[in-house]
Amino acid sequence: MSAQTSDLSHDQEKGAIVHEAALPVEVSPEDAIVRRCGRFGPVLAKLFASGVEARGVERVPEDQRETKNMWNNLLMWWSVNTVLTTIPIGTLGQAFYTLTLPHAIATILCFGALGGIATAFISTLGPKTGLRTMIITRFSSGYVGGTIYSILNILTQLGFSVTAVILGGQTLASINPGTLPLVVGIIIIGVLSVIPCFIGYHLVHYYERYAWMVIFTIIMFLWGLGGHAGFDLNAQKPLEDTGRSLSADVLSFGGIVFGSVTGWAPVAADYNCRLPADTSSMKVFLLTFFGLWIPICFVEILGAALMTISDPTYTQAYADGSTGGLLAQVLSPWGGGGKFLLVLLGLSVVANNIPNSYSAGLSMQSLGRPFALVPRFAWTVLAFVIYTVAGVAGREHFSEILSNFLSILSYWTAFFIAIVAEEHFIFRRRGGPLGGYSLDDWDTPGRLPVGIAGILAGCFGVAGAVVGMSEVWYTGPIAKKAGSEFGADLGFELAAGFAAMTYPPLRWVEIRLTGR
């Protein structure tokens, strides 16, 4: 970046100020990596010249921003969520919580909207800062706190990837049982996912801009074929709980839905940080919100509706082959054509798994300077190896992995969002204690917040999750009182609430004592 005079820009919509300090000419990420890699430098130079992205967690300067991917704030998330992996989340409402279809639909719409609002807010910080999401957390929780969040996000994205490759592999294997081993199906999904992530940002955006078109059509076919088989609104009525037990089921399923949306919050700014700094925050917010909420609700409700088909053939297909088996049965009236659509549906998880793989690599770089020295694409390949091996190992326990993973996921994303939002609106606002972001300090621990306030507030968030969670293996004391036999999962609500109440006073004290 060329030297520039001090600049102070103010975002009118969000009230946060961004400080830009004068800097010397910046070495490009490509040149920096080539120089420090010695004998491998020429090889990497050719790799970058061929189109592989070199930039990792480094901030994108204003003079290197671009406007061409604005609508991908909607289209990318539409593609990512109009996929096979979203369907089984909807099935959990009946499979685990015995909700009728109307109650499942209401839960998906309400908790999905709540998660969409939170995630869309995080996405507005990408253009504003030019930073990846995990680096943004350093401005509230310090360098050490940012590292902790990076670890959590690595586990989150790898967990998402494991569920994606298992479900995609199950679906491919169910097309002609006995022909394609499940392990091979998992590996195929993993390999197809890592290719665009290896190349980088632009290919990711190009693929996600168009991937939704074919799969959205197939989802419509599934709605039609499922309706022809017979949706039964009262199928779960005899099994549904009442009173406190019903409210507990709604809250627990709602936590899963919330987690399925906010699982994208820790990566939301990774895919628009190259947009101009003066990009409308409201436009980014609305495009991201609808890009998440509409497809997630539409597809999760499909999963819930398919579970109401009472034909024994369909119920047995789900019992034998989980969601993949049920979808194969739904498409079976179309014979060979149905099998072809099932192949496309199985491959659709690639669109869902791409951001998991890409952002897992970025989060590994965000662990600290030594990790950032390793090229982004190397971490992406490592992430691919980890989640593929884990998918093969856990391939027989998909539903259990999905249910427990998404519930726990909603806990940490809830307090992460609360802390980042309070930092932005209270302490970084115009006229606030800090008056904005000193973005050039993103990798300077001595100029970032100490992080004690953010880390302690996060610990309080964990405490809220512990007393409010309701899992198969543990039920917190508040969760027990809120529900009946199995309790009500209030983990994400209490995690966000505990963190939101404690962060402002702790951060105020931190600023008073340290000045940052």
Side-chain angles (χ1 to χ4, degrees), residues 79 82-85 207 215 343-352:
S79 290
T82 309
V83 292
L84 174 65
T85 359
Y207 182 85
I215 306 305
V343 171
L344 295 179
L345 204 54
L347 296 176
S348 74
V349 302
V350 171
N352 182 267

Side-chain angles (χ1 to χ4, degrees), residues 62-406:
E62 277 71 11
D63 58 0
Q64 296 179 28
R65 307 289 184 92
E66 53 197 29
T67 61
K68 62 182 180 181
N69 287 320
M70 180 64 190
W71 277 94
N72 264 30
N73 285 284
L74 182 140
L75 295 177
M76 174 177 171
W77 298 116
W78 199 289
S79 290
V80 166
N81 293 291
T82 309
V83 292
L84 174 65
T85 359
T86 312
I87 298 175
I89 299 172
T91 69
L92 297 176
Q94 285 95 333
F96 281 80
Y97 303 107
T98 64
L99 295 176
T100 58
L101 183 58
H103 285 151
I105 291 174
T107 304
I108 290 169
L109 290 174
C110 294
F111 283 87
L114 187 61
I117 291 170
T119 305
F121 157 70
I122 297 294
S123 74
T124 66
L125 302 180
K128 199 183 305 296
T129 63
L131 293 169
R132 312 287 190 165
T133 316
M134 288 297 98
I135 300 299
I136 294 172
T137 63
R138 294 178 179 178
F139 288 93
S140 56
S141 300
Y143 206 86
V144 174
T147 300
I148 295 172
Y149 280 125
S150 296
I151 294 171
L152 291 172
N153 196 37
I154 290 167
L155 297 175
T156 296
Q157 301 313 314
L158 291 178
F160 266 133
S161 292
V162 169
T163 61
V165 296
I166 291 177
L167 183 56
Q170 281 181 344
T171 305
L172 294 178
S174 69
I175 295 168
N176 284 307
T179 303
L180 180 71
L182 177 55
V183 172
V184 176
I186 290 172
I187 294 173
I188 289 173
I189 298 298
V191 171
L192 293 177
S193 300
V194 78
I195 293 173
C197 300
F198 182 90
I199 296 173
Y201 187 90
H202 289 297
L203 185 57
V204 167
H205 271 285
Y206 184 83
Y207 182 85
E208 301 288 9
R209 191 177 308 136
Y210 304 106
W212 65 273
M213 297 179 179
V214 173
I215 306 305
F216 186 77
T217 303
I218 297 175
I219 295 295
M220 296 298 292
F221 289 156
L222 288 171
W223 271 106
L225 289 168
H228 182 72
F231 295 139
D232 184 358
L233 295 180
N234 297 312
Q236 298 289 117
K237 194 66 177 178
L239 302 175
E240 187 176 58
D241 293 322
T242 57
R244 292 178 62 204
S245 296
L246 175 58
S247 64
D249 291 338
V250 169
L251 288 169
S252 298
F253 180 51
I256 292 175
V257 174
F258 179 82
S260 73
V261 185
T262 58
W264 301 117
V267 308
D270 293 354
Y271 301 97
N272 61 15
C273 60
R274 296 196 181 194
L275 289 173
D278 61 356
T279 301
S280 168
S281 294
M282 182 56 69
K283 189 172 183 179
V284 171
F285 178 89
L286 291 175
L287 289 174
T288 304
F289 174 79
F290 288 114
L292 289 164
W293 187 64
I294 294 176
I296 286 177
C297 291
F298 187 67
V299 180
E300 287 183 1
I301 291 172
L302 168 64
L306 292 177
M307 291 294 286
T308 69
I309 300 175
S310 55
D311 186 322
T313 306
Y314 288 78
T315 56
Q316 190 61 45
Y318 180 80
D320 293 341
S322 192
T323 304
L326 176 59
L327 295 176
Q329 180 60 41
V330 173
L331 291 168
S332 62
W334 285 1
K339 291 184 177 181
F340 175 70
L341 293 180
L342 200 59
V343 171
L344 295 179
L345 204 54
L347 296 176
S348 74
V349 302
V350 171
N352 182 267
N353 199 31
I354 284 174
N356 302 329
S357 305
Y358 182 82
S359 290
L362 292 174
S363 294
M364 291 176 184
Q365 279 195 317
S366 301
L367 291 172
R369 288 177 180 173
F371 297 89
L373 293 176
V374 179
R376 175 203 58 79
F377 61 81
W379 292 118
T380 299
V381 173
L382 177 61
F384 153 72
V385 173
I386 293 172
Y387 68 67
T388 302
V389 171
V392 170
R395 62 189 183 275
E396 303 299 337
H397 307 283
F398 173 75
S399 293
E400 293 84 353
I401 292 173
L402 182 66
S403 176
N404 287 290
F405 168 68
L406 286 177

Side-chain angles (χ1 to χ4, degrees), residues 415-458:
F415 67 73
F416 147 74
I417 293 167
I419 291 171
V420 172
E422 289 185 328
E423 177 71 22
H424 181 76
F425 289 114
I426 299 175
F427 300 102
R428 302 285 177 175
R429 61 182 172 81
R430 187 180 188 182
L434 297 175
Y437 295 87
S438 297
L439 296 174
D440 294 323
D441 297 336
W442 68 271
D443 198 34
T444 309
R447 295 182 179 179
L448 290 166
V450 176
I452 295 176
I455 294 173
L456 285 178

